[in-house]
Amino acid sequence: MSHHSSTAYDLVVAGGGPGGSTTAALVAMQGHRVLLLEKEHFPRYQIGESLLPSTVHGICRLLGVADEMARAGFTVKRGGTFRWGANPAPWTFAFALSPRLVDPTAFAYQVERMRFDTILLNHARRVGVEVREGCAVSEVLQDDGTVNGAAYTDEDGLTHTVRARFVIDASGHRSRLHQAVGARRYSEFFRNIALFGYFEGGKRLPPPNSGNILSAAFESGWFWYIPLSEQLTSVGAVVKHELAAKVQGDPERALLKLVAECPLVSEYLADARRVTTGPYGRIRVRKDYSYCSSAFWRPGMALVGDAACFVDPVFSTGVHLATYGGLLAARSVNTVLAGELDERRVFEEFQARYRREFGLFYEFLVSFYDVHVAESSYFWKARKVTEFPASDDEAFATLVGGVASGERSLRQAGALTARLAAAAGGLADAVDQVATNTGPEDMTPVFALPTVGQAMHESTAMQRQALNDADGQSEPALIEGGLVASQDGMHWAEPEQQVHDAATVVPRA
């Protein structure tokens, strides 16, 4: 095989999924030279189809693809519905209850990843990223302990080397590039196995929750039921590791036997048929997929997305963690390339924030897996792990909406002042609309409680305060002694410097 040497770049990204595309685009948008290497050709199949509001209204708007996402016709997801806990009846939460998700941003999408990932990758191209598909990164290059490039093989079998100031590994859970940064530590608690496929003609929840993800616990584990379109549904069973025998043998037979164990999912699939052709025609298996790297960065290199960490998918955090990690990594790269702060300072901030976000979901999920307790205790646990200064149900909606960190770029990337008019009435309407479904077939929301009215008043006040502070004001450091984001979300700054910069911002007319 021939070896070719390429011109140096500011950044090389391995992997074109949401984490890689986000990182690459946000760095290229600052005028830096970025190369993205993707081993497959898009569109390609990928699991992880349920998004959180933090990705849709934070990352996608910061990237500039929010309007394209809205035009794509993805299924709107207003919250989640669970058959979980001591209550035998399904219950629903709405993103609208979180004071950090004012009404126009109180939803997400269910997406076909082939389409969603292609939107992000094509956008990266448009903003200047050089994208090479069919190119698999095999190793990183380094001198004196600092990563400064990568070697990759193209689809013709030729090996190339490329030099760069930084390398980001966003190549997913199967690649071994992450070993150059840290060892992967698998969770003993979440040693689960997922078996999943696709069905057409499945039942839907009643409006306005018809686009919600439905998660149903049963004796062997739990099911996800994700409405990707009016006809197509992603269905997966997550079972305990000690029940691995249930997923062995013929995968279709195994999946259908598990469906039969779960009355609610069985009911929803009663008139459905499994897709057997095309990219959705296979029944797939994944196991031992909850893990975290011992380190997220080293000089010259950082991990993003599944290369860094992944936690059990019951709250659909995969794309959220990947795109949030991409934002943090891009912010760090931009800051160093601009000569504003040193590499260790910014990447320690990257690692601390990324670990904190992963840890919030991990700790909460350990509690959530206790299926024998009432849902009210889940809300209490959400408030405890987030230290959220509001009601328990607001804390729950804030955590599972992906905005518990308080990171402004995940919730205020747009012109928030335009949303104030709809905030108070919109939140009340959303909660009232959900609360009117009182029949057993209407998935009675758990938020139809006497405390909701007061919670709405409190959250509306918090929204108004947040909107008043949105423009020209700095956010506090999330980590003690840490950094803050610049006003545009693209760089890091010392807290004192950010306060100074904010004072010079010209108010918008």
Side-chain angles (χ1 to χ4, degrees):
M1 296 183 183
S2 301
H3 292 258
H4 301 277
S5 180
S6 302
T7 306
Y9 293 83
D10 295 308
L11 172 67
V12 169
V13 177
S21 293
T22 295
T23 309
L26 293 177
V27 173
M29 288 163 66
Q30 293 293 293
H32 304 302
R33 190 171 187 195
V34 181
L35 172 66
L36 187 151
L37 301 168
E38 166 55 47
K39 67 179 180 180
E40 298 186 49
H41 286 272
F42 280 37
R44 55 89 176 95
Y45 171 83
Q46 184 59 272
I47 193 64
E49 299 141 328
S50 193
L51 304 186
L52 300 186
S54 56
T55 299
V56 174
H57 306 289
I59 301 298
C60 288
R61 192 163 295 281
L62 194 63
L63 287 168
V65 298
D67 291 341
E68 186 175 359
M69 289 285 291
R71 293 193 299 269
F74 293 124
T75 298
V76 174
K77 167 187 173 183
R78 302 190 183 281
T81 298
F82 292 86
R83 212 316 293 160
W84 205 284
N87 187 346
W91 50 273
T92 294
F93 78 89
F95 293 130
L97 198 58
S98 170
R100 290 178 179 168
L101 294 169
V102 293
D103 185 58
T105 64
F107 70 90
Y109 296 117
Q110 316 284 19
V111 299
E112 294 182 67
R113 286 287 301 275
M114 289 185 291
R115 296 173 57 207
F116 173 66
D117 290 14
T118 300
I119 287 174
L120 295 188
L121 188 64
N122 286 342
H123 172 73
R125 285 191 175 96
R126 290 196 298 269
V127 298
V129 176
E130 182 179 342
V131 176
R132 299 180 190 173
E133 297 179 69
C135 295
V137 178
S138 55
E139 63 178 324
V140 296
L141 310 177
Q142 54 184 301
D143 289 321
D144 297 326
T146 298
V147 173
N148 61 5
Y152 69 94
T153 303
D154 65 23
E155 54 192 337
D156 295 322
L158 297 178
T159 301
H160 305 258
T161 59
V162 58
R163 296 290 175 176
R165 174 64 180 86
F166 290 103
V167 173
I168 297 295
D169 176 17
S171 58
H173 71 283
R174 293 179 179 173
S175 170
R176 296 184 178 181
L177 292 179
H178 68 91
Q179 295 174 347
V181 174
R184 187 166 287 175
R185 296 171 177 170
Y186 288 86
S187 169
E188 286 297 320
F189 186 88
F190 293 111
R191 295 188 67 211
N192 296 329
I193 304 170
L195 181 71
F196 50 96
Y198 295 82
F199 293 78
E200 290 183 333
K203 183 179 175 180
R204 294 290 179 259
L205 292 162
N209 300 320
S210 56
N212 280 11
I213 184 173
L214 172 63
S215 299
F218 68 112
E219 185 175 354
S220 299
W222 65 275
F223 267 96
W224 74 69
Y225 188 95
I226 303 174
L228 297 177
S229 69
E230 289 186 3
Q231 287 296 316
L232 185 65
T233 307
S234 172
V235 180
V238 176
V239 301
K240 306 167 187 176
H241 191 273
E242 56 267 29
L243 299 178
K246 286 180 175 284
V247 301
Q248 294 174 351
D250 177 67
E252 180 167 27
R253 183 179 179 184
L255 181 58
L256 294 180
K257 286 183 68 175
L258 289 168
V259 168
E261 287 187 36
C262 184
L264 184 58
V265 172
S266 183
E267 173 196 343
Y268 272 61
L269 291 177
D271 298 322
R273 66 174 185 86
R274 190 177 74 80
V275 178
T276 56
T277 60
Y280 297 127
R282 283 178 49 201
I283 293 180
R284 295 171 167 90
V285 179
R286 281 195 63 180
K287 62 179 181 179
D288 292 338
Y289 44 75
S290 294
Y291 55 82
C292 185
S293 181
S294 59
F296 284 13
W297 80 282
R298 59 172 289 186
M301 181 177 179
L303 308 179
V304 164
D306 289 1
C309 58
F310 189 85
V311 69
D312 189 90
V314 68
F315 286 132
S316 310
T317 56
V319 174
H320 164 70
L321 287 171
T323 54
Y324 181 48
L327 167 64
L328 298 176
R331 193 179 283 166
S332 303
V333 170
N334 288 337
T335 303
V336 175
L337 293 178
E340 296 166 344
L341 292 169
D342 68 80
E343 180 178 357
R344 176 166 293 277
R345 180 77 168 122
V346 298
F347 277 98
E348 288 292 350
E349 183 74 23
F350 156 82
Q351 178 168 271
R353 290 201 184 208
Y354 206 173
R355 282 191 181 282
R356 181 182 184 276
E357 192 74 2
F358 173 85
L360 284 175
F361 285 105
Y362 186 93
E363 182 181 348
F364 180 65
L365 280 168
V366 170
S367 171
F368 197 79
Y369 255 71
D370 185 355
V371 298
H372 302 296
V373 298
E375 59 267 20
S376 59
S377 68
Y378 301 143
F379 305 144
W380 175 85
K381 183 67 173 180
R383 185 175 182 180
K384 180 180 178 182
V385 300
T386 61
E387 299 180 351
F388 196 66
S391 64
D392 295 346
D393 41 10
E394 287 180 305
F396 183 91
T398 297
L399 177 64
V400 300
V403 291
S405 68
E407 170 77 52
R408 182 168 55 193
S409 295
L410 295 182
R411 57 192 174 93
Q412 296 181 354
L416 289 193
T417 52
R419 304 173 188 163
L420 181 57
L427 179 59
D429 290 344
V431 175
D432 286 345
Q433 196 172 25
V434 175
T436 57
N437 300 329
T438 56
E441 296 299 318
D442 292 330
M443 305 305 177
T444 305
V446 73
F447 294 137
L449 300 171
T451 58
V452 167
Q454 181 60 34
M456 291 187 338
H457 288 298
E458 294 173 1
S459 62
T460 299
M462 293 176 68
Q463 291 165 10
R464 191 172 290 116
Q465 180 63 43
L467 292 169
N468 290 338
D469 293 345
D471 292 320
Q473 298 295 320
S474 61
E475 61 181 354
L478 182 61
I479 309 298
E480 184 176 358
L483 302 172
V484 296
S486 61
Q487 287 294 311
D488 63 3
M490 295 289 197
H491 293 249
W492 293 116
E494 297 289 354
E496 298 81 5
Q497 182 64 41
Q498 178 72 344
V499 170
H500 173 74
D501 292 344
T504 66
V505 172
V506 178
R508 296 177 182 176

